[in-house]
Amino acid sequence: MKKPAALPELDHPMTDAESIRRSLYNRLIYTVGKDPITATDRDWFYAAAAVARERIIERWMETMRSYYVEDRKRVYYLSMEFLMGRTLTNCMLNICAEKEFHDALAALAEMGLKPLHLSEVEPDAALGNGGLGRLAACFLDSMATMGVAGYGYGIRYEYGMFHQGIKDGQQVEHPDNWLRYGNPWELPRPEVLYQVKFHGHVVTYSDEGGQTRHQWVDTDDVMAMAYDYPIPGYDTGTVNNMRLWAAKASRDFDLKYFNEGNYIRAVEDKNESENLSKVLYPDDTTEMGRELRLKQQYFFVSASLQDMLYRFTKSGTPLGSLPDKVAFQLNDTHPSIAVAELMRILIDQHHFDWGRAWNIVTRTFSYTNHTLMPEALETWPVPLFERVLPRHLQIIYEINHRFLKDVMHHYPDDPELWQRMSLIDEAEGKRVRMAYLAVVGSHRVNGVAAIHTRLMKETIFADFHRMWPDKIVNMTNGVTPRRWLNQANPGLSRLITRHIGRGWLKDLDQLRQLEPLANEADFCDAFVRVKRDNKARLAQMIEQRLTIRVDPDSMFDVQIKRIHEYKRQLLNVLHVITLYNRIRAGEIVTPRTVIFGGKAAPGYYMAKLIIRLINDVADIVNNDALMHDQLKVVFIPNYDVSNAEIIIPAADLSEQISTAGTEASGTSNMKLAMNGALTIGTLDGANVEIRDEVGHENFFIFGMTADEVAQAYETGYNPWVHYDNNAELKQTLDMLRDGFFSPEDRDRFKPVFETLTYHGDRYLLLADYASYIACQEKVGQLYRDPAAWTRKAILNVAGMGRFSSDRTIAQYARDIWNVAPLPRQV
């Protein structure tokens, strides 16, 4: 694809402060259409976004052209979530114009104009929920920075998951209307429109050559419209693309019903169709919610595959060469229907024979698993699947039939194995095992931490590993230092750069150069000042939003992640109550502010009850005069990327306390350690590798190992043993049972007590309690020695080079995608 010769020269936007100042003024007037005298903060933000966008748009187009000219192999990253955060500051940092941008704002302020608070005006893009979506965003940043021809594909959610409020201590879900004022970063592509089919039935017939063919007919159709979102790499000419799909009705308005006076029915089809891209993860406790989730997954997969094939066929390359030019990465099981969809396209539309189509599919797809819990491996009831995607169910049955024939060939006398490996679970009503479809249909399956990958091979995918010992590989997760250190923690970023230069932003291993500085008093003092400033900023936010005053000199003990029983926020609460009891008994403890953040799924009763418990405990603790400010508890509502960028740089202690063998990797552990927090954690997920990198002596480990957890389950774990033999634990649990923290409703937290006792304590909180409390005592002792704490914090930062998403993407590129990164110069 060559650049047309007759195009006029472009006005290349410059990145010096004066050029940016003029652009800001011009964009405010000519793009936003506002008088600078009366312009609001939001008007200035939209002007600033236009200024930033026009400085990457030409690079974006040049990048896209270069991929055609160079015939690059493309990587398509399919993900239900992309938790991007705010874009303005990130964009300016990545094009190395942040200082010039602030200088331009200052110059305008000197003229009497007030383009202030721009970053606070921008809403977080509500395109994700937690670690899965933030990982996807980090990967897009790294692919662009490293010059991988990468594309993100997902859904343009109109309302995201939800905006979390707290009322009377309880989570309240509100629509997250992040698009209320538009999104200046996206580029609508109304001409990029694909038909996506649902329901209907399959007609089988013989063609002229006697071959059996299938046609999916009488379908309900929805249109997928593209919105493009440029992704600039750091200090590079590469700007990649994220393409998100919005659902549009195939027919907007039924005039017949309108003329009859049935106004609701007139727009009913439109509303039902467009529900597909309204919210992330609709509540699947209802039949309608489950159907909507399945439709969402197929919707974006179908549109993405159609879009990829349109782009691929423009080159004239035969479809048989698809695996040489395209790599698809399935981010968890949500997009795994893509395996059956590509088979359908190749067989039904292009008339490939089964063997050739299957060879193409399995060489094109790879799959990332993010969970070890069998119940979290997505399955769909066969009747639902048959109703929504009848042709795909036929294809999955055929994949399963051929796969099980192969299994029987290798293991002819093991019918129990055949049942375990079948893509159809027949134990409790037929269900399609989507994770198994992804494993069978991919040439590589990867875990996201060394221990997670080992446990995948030994537990959930043990049978598949036995059959294909080379298929499952490890790709330990990483996070982008551009967002999580350079942007989130500018004070620490500047300190690091003054001492070792800027090379660490693209080569995080250079942080090792900080190790000798951990013994230099001047550097340590500067490090402490940066941390203290970050804590003061967080304390100010907490006071403004929650009217809770916290002491920045207390230890900031932070647990920020999705609320789930296996992540054991409840164990943290048990420690808080234990400290509370000790202080009330007259003991002097290290002053500590315990900070929680995270959302619970709307239908997850116990997770929502844990949030209420945290808030009720906070209410009692924070208002008890006997605490003398030794203990405060805070729950920060609506944890998102922007809140994380304030909380993480301020953290002293990072709580990574999941039951060993349940957390795939975690990425908050990486972000917090990278910003100088010490970790208290189990030997779970990436904690193991972080401890190896930062030094065992600089990491607080407690609790059972994954092997010990498995043995406890096998031998019959009894939580009552711990309850009966630990007086502090018994006192703590009895306070929950008896309503100490809910005097107006004494039974409120009985379900928590019963879960940890009568119902077996599935995640072994009581088994790990004593070890956790003892480890927390060591944490408190160390914090009372500021010099020793600071040295360990610096060594944590210095040891985090391995956990850059650049390293992760380099491994994917080499070992899974078979692509060569090719950075472009600015």
Side-chain angles (χ1 to χ4, degrees), residues 284-302:
D284 62 356
T285 58
T286 66
E287 181 69 20
M288 289 180 64
R290 285 189 288 274
E291 179 168 333
L292 181 55
R293 276 209 190 191
L294 177 58
K295 283 182 170 181
Q296 277 187 333
Q297 293 174 11
Y298 178 67
F299 166 76
F300 99 91
V301 161
S302 172

Side-chain angles (χ1 to χ4, degrees), residues 677-696:
L678 273 61
T679 303
I680 182 170
T682 53
L683 287 171
D684 197 27
N687 292 353
V688 181
E689 293 158 82
I690 293 174
R691 185 181 70 148
D692 290 343
E693 293 295 321
V694 305
H696 290 209

Side-chain angles (χ1 to χ4, degrees), residues 246-274:
K248 303 292 181 182
S250 55
R251 187 172 56 178
D252 279 347
F253 190 77
D254 194 316
L255 189 60
K256 173 178 176 290
Y257 288 117
F258 185 84
N259 288 337
E260 291 173 355
N262 194 342
Y263 307 124
I264 294 176
R265 184 66 188 275
V267 296
E268 189 174 59
D269 289 344
K270 170 182 167 62
N271 292 339
E272 184 176 347
S273 297
E274 296 183 359

Side-chain angles (χ1 to χ4, degrees), residues 303-421:
S304 301
L305 285 177
Q306 291 181 70
D307 194 51
M308 175 277 296
L309 287 170
Y310 171 78
R311 188 177 298 112
F312 178 83
T313 53
K314 282 201 300 186
S315 67
T317 308
L319 264 178
S321 300
L322 189 69
D324 301 322
K325 295 297 181 183
V326 166
F328 268 108
Q329 189 69 36
L330 307 175
N331 189 29
D332 215 3
T333 55
H334 308 122
S336 55
I337 188 62
V339 172
E341 172 67 355
L342 186 53
M343 283 297 288
R344 185 189 70 82
I345 292 169
L346 293 175
I347 291 172
D348 292 357
Q349 296 180 7
H350 295 276
H351 296 167
F352 279 47
D353 65 64
W354 184 277
R356 188 180 177 206
W358 187 243
N359 177 266
I360 291 170
V361 166
T362 54
R363 290 168 55 213
T364 301
F365 285 108
S366 48
Y367 161 54
T368 301
N369 171 269
H370 287 280
T371 183
L372 288 166
M373 293 187 288
E375 67 271 21
L377 296 176
E378 201 164 43
T379 63
W380 295 110
V382 165
L384 170 64
F385 216 101
E386 188 171 30
R387 182 172 71 252
V388 176
L389 300 171
R391 178 58 181 141
H392 296 78
L393 183 62
Q394 291 181 343
I395 291 170
I396 290 169
Y397 276 149
E398 184 63 23
I399 293 171
N400 195 41
H401 172 71
R402 292 169 182 257
F403 166 62
L404 288 181
K405 281 182 65 177
D406 194 26
V407 173
M408 293 173 192
H409 176 76
H410 285 84
Y411 309 102
D413 300 316
D414 196 346
E416 291 185 0
L417 175 71
W418 310 341
Q419 290 180 355
R420 290 201 307 270
M421 296 184 75

Side-chain angles (χ1 to χ4, degrees), residues 549-589:
R549 183 169 294 178
V550 301
D551 181 5
D553 292 321
S554 66
M555 181 202 306
F556 278 15
D557 178 349
V558 172
Q559 188 174 19
I560 41 174
K561 50 185 73 223
R562 177 169 54 93
I563 308 297
H564 197 291
E565 289 167 274
Y566 85 82
K567 294 179 183 288
R568 300 205 296 190
Q569 285 91 353
L570 191 50
L571 181 59
N572 194 346
V573 175
L574 297 183
H575 173 242
V576 168
I577 297 172
T578 301
L579 284 179
Y580 175 72
N581 289 332
R582 289 181 177 183
I583 296 169
R584 281 170 57 87
E587 185 174 330
I588 303 300
V589 304

